[in-house]
Amino acid sequence: MKSLRFILIFLFSFQLISEQPRNVLFVGNSYLYYNNSVHNYVEFMLREFYESDVDTKLAAIGGSRLHHHNIDHLLDFKNLNLDQQIDILIMQGGSAQVTTEENQIEFIQTVKSYAKKAQDLGITTALYMTHAYTDADIRYEPKLINKITKTYYEAGKKSNSIVIPVGLAFDMAYKIRPDITLHHEDGTHPGPLGTYLGAATVFASITGKSPVGLNFNYYNSIDDESRLFLQEIAWKAYLKAENELSL
């Protein structure tokens, strides 16, 4: 059974990086659209890497859970103002969808349903792993990252979807540099550096290549030291998740 899971994960990983994506759709909530949206950062990174056009789109509802999105509507590319189908669908759940067993089951079932609909159309599916709260948020749990990782890994395996380990990247960055500010002051949403880290992790997961060395710094708002540090963390988080998912 473990061997079969590894084969499936390998095949879908290869599918995600074997060709340059032309159109990528992000579906989620405010975790995505803060700081002018992670999808815009990813677009700049992919265009720099591929040296050609890549179009990213965002469907986000503030405070939503994944099932609040009309996936059938979104999978009709004409509704996205595109002239061809998306290549990759990246889904993000609500931050509280990992906190209880009931919420986890709800999220995983939604992922399975939405992923199947997308995969039946030839679309590669991926999951944008959320980050944990800081203690500035009343929902803070010291080891919430364990619930997040468990939920997203299970959802990824059951839906044959790539897991983009943004939550792991946040956790790893804070352990190395506790003074870094990845969150907004509310303790839940990403700050500018958090959005950059999320985008770099998406880049690594889509391309299978290290983001270290990318010049994109969001209009010179990310200093060189932070840019390189976040790129390195994104790559390490990607490799860690790949290893853990293969076990």
Side-chain angles (χ1 to χ4, degrees), residues 12 91 111 115 119 125-127 155-163:
F12 277 87
M91 298 175 282
V111 168
Q119 291 163 9
T125 56
L127 304 178
K157 290 177 179 179
K158 289 187 175 180
S159 66
N160 293 328
S161 298
I162 297 299
V163 178

Side-chain angles (χ1 to χ4, degrees), residues 37-55:
S37 187
V38 69
H39 83 285
N40 287 321
Y41 289 56
V42 171
E43 183 171 289
F44 277 113
M45 291 178 176
L46 292 177
R47 287 184 174 187
E48 178 183 334
F49 177 73
Y50 289 115
E51 298 183 335
S52 61
D53 286 343
V54 177
D55 197 3

Side-chain angles (χ1 to χ4, degrees), residues 28-29 31 63-66 92-98 107 130 133 152:
N29 59 29
Y31 274 29
S64 70
R65 297 188 174 197
L66 186 58
Q92 174 241 321
S95 60
Q97 288 195 272
V98 303
F107 173 65
T130 53
Y133 312 117
Y152 274 80

Side-chain angles (χ1 to χ4, degrees), residues 2-163:
K2 287 185 178 180
S3 297
L4 177 59
R5 285 179 178 177
F6 175 79
I7 292 170
L8 287 172
I9 292 165
F10 175 81
L11 289 175
F12 277 87
S13 296
F14 179 79
Q15 182 183 3
L16 189 62
I17 66 175
S18 61
E19 295 182 2
Q20 175 189 334
R22 294 293 179 182
N23 299 292
V24 181
L25 172 63
F26 289 75
V27 176
N29 59 29
S30 54
Y31 274 29
L32 299 181
Y33 69 61
Y34 258 55
N35 312 303
N36 197 30
S37 187
V38 69
H39 83 285
N40 287 321
Y41 289 56
V42 171
E43 183 171 289
F44 277 113
M45 291 178 176
L46 292 177
R47 287 184 174 187
E48 178 183 334
F49 177 73
Y50 289 115
E51 298 183 335
S52 61
D53 286 343
V54 177
D55 197 3
T56 61
K57 297 287 187 177
L58 171 70
I61 304 171
S64 70
R65 297 188 174 197
L66 186 58
H67 67 268
H68 291 137
H69 291 273
N70 185 340
I71 198 65
D72 296 311
H73 178 82
L74 295 174
L75 290 178
D76 182 345
F77 61 87
K78 295 178 183 177
N79 294 326
L80 304 174
N81 194 29
L82 293 173
D83 58 8
Q84 61 183 347
Q85 186 56 274
I86 59 173
D87 303 298
I88 303 173
L89 170 66
I90 299 176
M91 298 175 282
Q92 174 241 321
S95 60
Q97 288 195 272
V98 303
T99 55
T100 67
E101 184 177 357
E102 180 180 0
N103 287 345
Q104 293 169 5
I105 291 172
E106 174 191 73
F107 173 65
I108 292 169
Q109 289 178 338
T110 303
V111 168
K112 288 172 61 179
S113 172
Y114 286 10
K116 185 178 187 307
K117 290 183 177 184
Q119 291 163 9
D120 286 346
L121 295 173
I123 300 167
T124 298
T125 56
L127 304 178
Y128 187 99
M129 181 193 291
T130 53
H131 52 262
Y133 312 117
T134 71
D135 57 11
D137 190 292
I138 60 173
R139 297 168 293 179
Y140 170 73
E141 294 182 31
K143 296 183 179 180
L144 184 60
I145 187 60
N146 295 338
K147 292 182 179 180
I148 294 171
T149 303
K150 173 182 176 294
T151 303
Y152 274 80
Y153 281 179
E154 184 176 350
K157 290 177 179 179
K158 289 187 175 180
S159 66
N160 293 328
S161 298
I162 297 299
V163 178

